[in-house]
Amino acid sequence: MTTTVTRQGPPGGPAAPVPPPAPEGRGGIAGLLELPGNGVRAIVRSAATTPGRLSVIAIGLVLLSLVAGLFGTLAAQDKKDTINGLIDHREPLAAAAQQVYRALSDADATAASSFLSIGAEPLPMRERYERDVAEAGAALAKAASDSSGVDEAAEQINILGREIPVYTGLIETARTYNRQGYPVGASYLREASELMRAKILPAAQDLYRIDTDRLAAEQDDATGFPWLATALLLALLAALIVTQVHLTKKTNRLLNVGLVVASVSVVVALLWGAVSLVVQGSLVGSGEEDGSHQVDVLVRARIAALQARADETLTLVARGDGAAYEKDFGDLAAQLGGTDGQGGLLGEARGLAAGGAAAGKVDAAIQAASEWFKAHGEVRRQDDDGSYQDAVDTAIRDDKKNGAAGAFLRLDENLVAAINVGRQEFLDDTRGAERALTLLAPGIAVLALIAAAGAALGIRERLREYR
């Protein structure tokens, strides 16, 4: 039943009817809520027509072009940033951690060797020890700058910062007593060396391992494949091809210039990216194999040699009570390369350096190691026969023929030279990888925009035919 409502009209005239209220849900908030549904229905109705379908396809191709271009650009830029980080940040920090380890090992070996000299401590040895301690402190400060957020690295740095001053204090006390001719100086030296081996060097080794692992992880990131960006670009290319086939069937026109331009842009982006990534990945891998991995082996060989040299001298400083040091020397010599220097770390380094710039230096290091081990055998023979001073003279002699010190120094110098060659190869290869990505990120962005514009213009030409 409908109720008619009237209102009073002008005096003497009929009453004016009042319009019935709007049906519920047709206006106000309820009406607004129905608009999205109406919009969807309108789009569906539009898509049922050929122009509507073409419009939807055009919008989809433009959006896919922009999304693929965005992810492709971000992936290329991320790789470039990762490689720059390897060169400018990660490798120098790994080198700093290596320097801490090496400098402390050398300081211990130099301090032990200085106690074998008669009279005042030789000035070159004193200067070398002080230089090692200063280099270790500077490298530790650099390594500490990157330890935030890495609890294990921060822990090792705290150990080193706490124990190195204790070690240097013990060495100074040992020197003081040694200058005064008191045998207790040797006891302080052994105490300092035990602290170095028990706490300081293990912490330095762990710090070096952490930074080396982080370097390797970032190298793996740099060679990773951008699957998502590649999948989006391939999907875009497939969508463009399907659209062109569809238009060919509908219009009997073989080519659509706009879509062809878009397709060519995507193909160029894929080929450019593929070539750049292959070259970049190959160079990063080469930088790892011929550079950072080779350097790691050489560094470990050098540290083993330095620790063995400290054992060699501490055996003599102990004067008959150095069996433990001699055993450590044998273990380190086997780790380094064996009695002939052909195996162990030196043999591994020779295999890695074969045919490379460092091969000659590694061969020279192996020859020096063989001479050193031969001289060490003479030192032990003289000491065991009771010719202590002859053993000391052979241990500290630096001539090229029979001296242990001279052979060890040649070994150390050649290892340093090989390490420097390896670091340079890492930098050269990694910089080459960075150059392989030059302009790739902005290039993909521009090509994606061209693809979007080509798709829009190509379908726009077909839409004009329906007007």
Side-chain angles (χ1 to χ4, degrees), residues 90-103 135-136 138-144 207-208 211 423:
R90 182 54 51 205
E91 194 277 340
L93 286 171
Q98 175 261 121
Q99 181 69 0
V100 172
Y101 195 7
R102 186 226 48 95
E135 288 177 355
L140 183 61
K142 186 173 183 178
L207 180 62
Y208 172 60
D211 278 321
R423 288 195 67 193

Side-chain angles (χ1 to χ4, degrees), residues 97-106 109 201 204-205 208 296-310 332 335-336 345 372 408 412 415 419:
Q98 175 261 121
Q99 181 69 0
V100 172
Y101 195 7
R102 186 226 48 95
L104 292 172
S105 298
D106 191 57
L201 286 181
Q205 184 177 22
Y208 172 60
D296 176 56
V297 174
L298 290 167
V299 166
R300 288 188 283 123
R302 189 184 183 200
I303 290 169
L306 289 167
Q307 292 176 355
R309 175 60 178 169
L332 289 167
Q335 178 184 345
L336 181 61
L345 292 169
W372 178 31
F408 165 75
D412 190 60
L415 287 175
I419 288 170

Side-chain angles (χ1 to χ4, degrees), residues 12 87 111 141 151 169 201 220 352 380 440 445:
I87 297 171
D151 294 338
L201 286 181
D220 289 341
L352 291 172
R380 297 311 320 139
L440 179 60

Side-chain angles (χ1 to χ4, degrees), residues 429-454:
D429 288 342
T430 309
R431 285 197 181 102
E434 189 270 339
R435 286 193 292 269
L437 300 178
T438 300
L439 297 179
L440 179 60
I444 290 177
V446 171
L447 290 169
L449 291 174
I450 293 174

Side-chain angles (χ1 to χ4, degrees), residues 31-56:
L32 290 174
L33 291 175
E34 289 187 358
L35 289 178
N38 292 333
V40 171
R41 285 194 292 271
I43 292 174
V44 171
R45 287 194 299 269
S46 176
T49 66
T50 300
R53 283 195 296 270
L54 291 177
S55 298
V56 171

Side-chain angles (χ1 to χ4, degrees), residues 1 38 237 241 322 370 456:
M1 177 178 180
N38 292 333
L237 181 60
I241 293 173
S370 177

